[in-house]
Amino acid sequence: VYRNVALYVWAGMLLSETRIARTALDVLIPWKLPVWLLAWIVVAGAALPTAYSGASGIFVLAAGAVIFQRLRAAGADHRLALAATAMCGSLGVVLRPCLVVVLITLLNKKVTTSDLYGWGFYVYLLTASLFLLAVIWRRPEPLRIAPVSEAWPNSRDALRKLAPYVLIGAAVILFY
């Protein structure tokens, strides 16, 4: 367990030193999504790297500043940017292979990791849905996005920059 904790912390530190968060957001920014939708996509999408980095605190430290700054630059108010930054690290702790679930099962022999991960997916869906409903309810702007002809070239360039990270991540997961 201690070795896994060290590896998760190391993964979080590596994540903070890369351009992954910036590049991933560069894929979305050209579409000029309303800030409420952009915040929800960031929160829902950040769950996977949170689960793989080990814990919410590690992911928020690694990518939180970038998420907060990009959401503020896109026009999000301070509260929405803070909420999205905090939640981006929260949803992943219930998904496989987050270390928090493993630690809970080590301490409580009445539950298994399969049980917690299985129900964790439903908790993820419920929480993401409730956050979406909350931002839709408070949304100050209508749903409008940039035309495909305008947004796609910039998103495609960002996807090309993101591709090596995705391929390396996929290779590590497949190897593991």
Side-chain angles (χ1 to χ4, degrees):
V1 170
Y2 294 113
R3 183 179 58 235
N4 288 345
V5 170
L7 288 172
Y8 280 121
V9 170
W10 183 56
M13 296 302 290
L14 288 175
L15 183 62
S16 71
E17 295 298 320
T18 66
R19 297 177 306 161
I20 294 174
R22 285 180 195 82
T23 308
L25 285 169
D26 286 344
V27 173
L28 297 173
I29 298 296
W31 294 94
K32 298 178 184 165
L33 300 169
V35 292
W36 58 269
L37 182 59
L38 181 62
W40 180 77
I41 290 171
V42 167
V43 166
L48 188 63
T50 300
Y52 275 94
S53 66
S56 60
I58 293 169
F59 184 79
V60 171
L61 288 173
V66 172
I67 290 169
F68 181 80
Q69 291 168 352
R70 291 293 180 98
L71 286 174
R72 290 289 288 165
D77 66 341
H78 189 73
R79 290 187 308 165
L80 179 60
L82 274 178
T85 302
M87 284 194 67
C88 76
S90 299
L91 289 182
V93 296
V94 295
L95 298 177
R96 188 178 308 270
C98 188
L99 183 62
V100 174
V101 171
V102 175
L103 292 175
I104 290 169
T105 58
L106 286 174
L107 298 173
N108 184 352
K109 299 296 181 191
K110 294 180 182 178
V111 294
T112 64
T113 54
S114 297
D115 292 338
L116 293 179
Y117 286 133
W119 283 104
F121 181 71
Y122 294 114
V123 170
Y124 164 78
L125 289 177
L126 176 66
T127 308
S129 300
L130 289 174
F131 185 68
L132 179 61
L133 290 173
V135 294
I136 287 173
W137 179 58
R138 292 196 31 88
R139 67 183 171 149
E141 57 188 306
L143 177 59
R144 288 193 198 115
I145 61 172
V148 174
S149 60
E150 178 184 316
W152 175 243
N154 293 331
S155 281
R156 185 182 58 228
D157 293 342
L159 281 170
R160 284 186 185 136
K161 292 176 186 173
L162 192 62
Y165 296 111
V166 171
L167 292 174
I168 290 170
V172 168
I173 291 169
L174 288 173
F175 177 74
Y176 178 71

